[in-house]
């Protein structure tokens, strides 16, 4: 089990590496871990062509789980990703993030483009430099539930969605609720101006599932609007219903992403045909 250290605050970040080829960093969604990429077969589908680098973000998986919301800002997350790349010996990488991992992808594309070759973002919009009332109420409400207990948080989810699939329920019940609450409030320390987003020149592939009623777990319309701001971005909507089912559709999404990464290959890398 490998770990990289964030030099700024000492947080330990768990990572794993699979395969050889151009580097591709995979970053999971909120409440998930790198295990979810494995669960749906992504490393196996990509490691024949890429050096697949997976990381558990702070607060999740085997990485450290601080309880201070100020340790979950975009600077800390970006430094975590760069620490992992440094530990692996990678200067620049292709990046694929889903949900919260997409949030980090936007931040890196705006603030650390020199570490990236291209960016794939699944179903997460670029956060603005000011927090909307809708997002503020949602993040604060979730943090309050989590501070009562993880069982209350799960009950809140199931009130809106019905009973979670068993593996999702077990995964959520195993989370550190205070770390997850801190992560929710840490969202206030993220964001970029529209001007900064429009200035992105990296090749980007941004995708969502099908349009559906917006909720805390559905950012379809907002993600599409963000994609339209970036001249170098391609947007694709897959005919899949649901936030996690869109992530899980490895057989459908991976071939499309693979073709994008081949077209975006640069910096002296040669991808296999």
């Amino acid at each position: 089990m490998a770990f990289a250290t964030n030099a700024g605050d000492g947080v330990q970040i768990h990572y794993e590496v699979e395969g050889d080829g151009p580097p591709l960093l995979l970053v999971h969604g909120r409440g998930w871990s790198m295990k979810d990429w494995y669960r749906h077969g992504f490393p196996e589908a990509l490691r024949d062509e890429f050096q697949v680098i997976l990381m558990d973000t702070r607060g999740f998986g085997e990485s450290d789980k601080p309880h201070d919301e100020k340790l979950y800002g975009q600077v800390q997350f970006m430094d975590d990703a760069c620490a992992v790349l440094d530990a692996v010996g990678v200067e620049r990488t292709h990046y694929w993030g889903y949900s919260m991992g997409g949030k980090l992808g936007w931040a890196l594309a705006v603030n650390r483009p020199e570490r990236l070759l291209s960016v794939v973002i699944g179903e997460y919009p670029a956060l603005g430099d000011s927090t909307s009332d809708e997002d503020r109420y949602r993040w604060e409400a979730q943090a309050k539930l989590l501070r009562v207990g993880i069982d209350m948080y799960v009950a809140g989810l199931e009130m809106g969605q019905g009973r979670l699939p068993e593996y999702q329920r077990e995964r959520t019940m195993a989370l550190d609720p205070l770390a997850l609450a801190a992560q929710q409030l840490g969202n206030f320390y993220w964001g970029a101006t529209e001007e900064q987003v429009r200035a992105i020149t990296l090749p980007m592939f941004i995708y969502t599932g099908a349009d559906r009623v917006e909720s805390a777990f559905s950012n379809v319309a907002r993600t599409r609007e963000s994609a339209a701001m970036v001249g170098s971005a391609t947007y694709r909507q897959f005919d899949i219903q649901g936030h996690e089912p869109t992530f899980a559709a490895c057989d459908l999404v991976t071939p499309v992403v693979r073709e994008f990464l081949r077209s975006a290959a640069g910096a002296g890398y040669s991808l296999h045909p």
Side-chain angles (χ1 to χ4, degrees):
M1 190 175 292
F3 290 87
T5 302
N6 182 317
D9 55 22
V11 169
Q12 297 279 301
I13 302 299
H14 173 228
Y15 71 91
E16 300 291 343
V17 180
E18 298 266 359
D20 294 302
L24 171 61
L25 177 61
L26 303 184
V27 182
H28 60 81
R30 176 176 62 91
W32 305 352
S33 72
M34 70 169 67
K35 289 180 180 179
D36 291 280
W37 293 104
Y38 281 104
R39 180 190 302 278
H40 301 298
F42 288 93
E44 293 85 349
L46 293 162
R47 65 191 178 193
D48 64 322
E49 192 168 10
F50 299 93
Q51 180 189 38
V52 181
I53 307 165
L54 304 103
M55 61 178 279
D56 287 332
T57 65
R58 59 176 58 208
F60 303 109
E62 300 300 323
S63 292
D64 287 349
K65 302 171 179 63
H67 293 171
D68 182 350
E69 67 189 65
K70 293 182 179 178
L71 295 181
Y72 288 87
Q74 70 179 11
V75 171
Q76 288 78 17
F77 273 74
M78 290 189 299
D79 287 348
D80 291 345
C82 291
V84 168
L85 295 179
D86 291 343
V88 179
V90 169
E91 182 178 352
R92 300 179 70 198
T93 185
H94 298 286
Y95 181 96
W96 186 352
Y98 192 85
S99 192
M100 184 187 72
K103 178 177 71 170
L104 177 55
W106 284 111
L108 289 167
V110 167
N111 298 288
R112 307 281 176 84
E114 72 280 359
R115 300 306 303 262
L116 302 177
L117 296 166
S118 69
V119 182
V120 177
I121 289 177
E123 209 156 285
Y124 206 95
L127 294 179
D129 58 338
S130 61
T131 303
S132 69
D133 288 343
E134 176 188 3
D135 283 341
R136 179 176 296 276
Y137 297 149
R138 174 159 50 91
W139 295 334
E140 289 178 342
Q142 290 181 352
K144 287 177 183 177
L145 280 174
L146 286 159
R147 285 172 172 166
V148 174
I150 196 68
D151 55 335
M152 291 297 293
Y153 176 72
V154 170
L157 293 178
E158 294 184 329
M159 283 178 63
Q161 303 176 53
R163 185 172 177 86
L164 297 174
E166 197 56 37
Y167 84 88
Q168 292 182 29
R169 198 173 200 279
E170 290 179 2
R171 180 186 64 194
T172 306
M173 289 294 292
L175 294 173
D176 180 327
L178 296 182
L180 185 53
Q183 181 274 324
Q184 286 291 274
L185 298 178
N187 281 321
F188 297 135
Y189 305 98
W190 290 71
T193 66
E194 183 175 323
E195 181 180 17
Q196 288 175 310
V197 174
R198 292 187 180 277
I200 295 171
T201 59
L202 288 163
M204 298 187 76
F205 177 74
I206 301 168
Y207 69 97
T208 68
D211 283 303
R212 53 193 182 270
V213 176
E214 290 293 310
S215 72
F217 301 94
S218 176
N219 286 305
V220 173
R222 294 170 64 189
T223 301
R224 186 165 53 236
E225 291 165 4
S226 295
M229 294 182 190
V230 182
S232 58
T234 299
Y235 171 75
R236 171 103 176 239
Q237 183 168 302
F238 292 94
D239 188 18
I240 309 169
Q241 286 290 335
H243 188 64
E244 186 142 1
T246 300
F247 169 70
C250 178
D251 290 345
L252 180 62
V253 176
T254 298
V256 180
V257 170
R258 187 192 289 269
E259 287 305 311
F260 163 75
L261 293 172
R262 285 173 174 164
S263 70
Y269 291 116
S270 175
L271 299 189
H272 306 303

